[in-house]
Amino acid sequence: MEHKRVLITGATGFIGTHLLRLLQNENYDLALLVRHKRNAGHLLNKNVRFIEADLSQIHVAKKEIKDFDPEICVHLAWSGIPDYHSTHIAKQNLFQSIDLIDLLTAETSCRKIIACGSCSEYGKTDGECLETEPPIAHTALAWAKIAICHYLSLIAKTKSVDFIWLRLFYVYGPGQRKDGLLPTILDAFRQNEEPDIRNPSNAYDFVYVEDVANLLKLGLEKDVESGIYNVGTGRPTHILNICQMAAKLMNCSVTFPSLPQTQDDTGVCFWANIKKTVEKFGWYPKYALNDGIEAMRRVYEIV
C-alpha cells in the first residue's frame, strides 16, 4: 500500500508526541519540522525524516519541504505558550503560519491542512460554544488564531485545498507543561500541600490529549468537509472538583481549606458542543476526566 506523505509541525510538542505514537506503525511517510533534530531522536523510525528548521526560517526548509512534497500537513506548532496576550508573539505565529500555508499550497502537492485553533476564539465565559458562533478576538492569541482560520478558509476556496480547523478546549495529559493546571495540582498533592488555585469555581471543558491525538489521526484518514470542529467533551468541570478527584486518587490528606467547598455560580463556565465533530468524524472522547487524571498520576509517579 502506498504511504501518504504527511508533514507535521510541532511534532515534539505536547500534542504532537502523542500523535506520533499513534502513527508509528501506520501507512504514512512522515516529515517532522523540528528546531533541533537532537531533541527528536526518540521519534526516529524508518518512515520518518526530519527537516531541521524553525517556522520563522521556513525559507531555510523550503527545498526539503518541496522535495518531500507532502500531501497533508498537520500544523501544531505555536511559539510563546503560555503568553496569550503578547501581540508580538501573536503576529509572529500568524505570519509564520501564513508563510507555511502559502508554501504548501503553491509549491507542493498538499491538498489537506489540519490545524489547531483555540476555544479562546469564542471569547465566552459562559455557556455552550457552537462552531457557527462568530469569533471574538478578546486576546492576542484569539486574534491570531481567528486570522489563520479565515486565511485557511480563503485558501480552501481559491486553491481547492481541504482544511480542518480543530478548535481545542482545555487539553490535558502526560507531557503537559509543568505550570499547567493539572500538573500544578498533582505536584502539590505529591508534596502533601494545598494547590495554589485562584479560581476554583471556574469550570472548563477538559479533554484528554490521547483523545485529541485520535481525532487528528482520523483527520488524516477521513474525507470530511472543510471547516471548524470543536474538540472537547461537551461537559464543563469545576476546578474544585478536579482538586477533589486528584486528592482522592493520590490518597492525599490535604483538605485545601482555603478553597471554597461548593461551586460559585458567578465563575467562568463554558464548554464545547461536539455534535458536529462526533457526526463527521465518528469520534467521541474515550477518557473520562477521572481516568485521565489517573493516567497522569501514574506517569508523574514514574518521573
Side-chain angles (χ1 to χ4, degrees), residues 119-191:
C119 61
S120 67
E121 295 168 61
Y122 288 111
K124 295 179 71 168
T125 59
D126 182 60
E128 186 177 58
C129 299
L130 285 161
E131 292 94 340
T132 52
E133 295 177 38
I136 300 173
H138 74 303
T139 65
L141 170 72
W143 167 78
K145 291 287 189 180
I146 292 166
I148 296 167
C149 183
H150 284 166
Y151 190 71
L152 274 171
S153 179
L154 175 65
I155 290 294
K157 293 173 183 175
T158 58
K159 297 197 174 183
S160 300
V161 175
D162 294 328
F163 85 97
I164 297 171
W165 187 257
L166 299 180
R167 199 166 269 169
L168 305 181
F169 279 66
Y170 286 78
V171 185
Y172 73 99
Q176 188 178 358
R177 293 190 335 269
K178 291 182 179 179
D179 60 348
L181 176 65
L182 265 299
T184 298
I185 291 171
L186 292 175
D187 186 58
F189 287 156
R190 281 176 67 183
Q191 301 176 55

Side-chain angles (χ1 to χ4, degrees), residues 202-262:
N202 286 358
Y204 305 101
D205 191 339
F206 295 91
V207 58
Y208 191 60
V209 64
E210 197 75 17
D211 284 323
V212 177
N214 274 310
L215 180 57
L216 285 164
K217 182 172 178 287
L218 287 172
L220 294 173
E221 298 167 352
K222 290 181 174 286
D223 292 324
V224 298
E225 62 183 293
S226 292
I228 300 165
Y229 295 88
N230 282 340
V231 186
T233 63
R235 297 181 301 275
T237 303
H238 287 272
I239 294 174
L240 173 62
N241 291 143
I242 289 177
C243 289
Q244 292 166 338
M245 281 185 222
K248 183 177 180 180
L249 286 169
M250 299 186 75
N251 296 315
C252 181
S253 59
V254 173
T255 57
F256 31 95
S258 67
L259 301 186
Q261 297 305 296
T262 59

Side-chain angles (χ1 to χ4, degrees), residues 97-116:
S97 295
I98 288 175
D99 287 344
L100 174 67
I101 293 164
D102 286 346
L103 170 61
L104 292 170
T105 55
E107 302 193 51
T108 77
S109 301
C110 185
R111 286 299 172 263
K112 180 190 283 188
I113 298 175
I114 304 170
C116 289

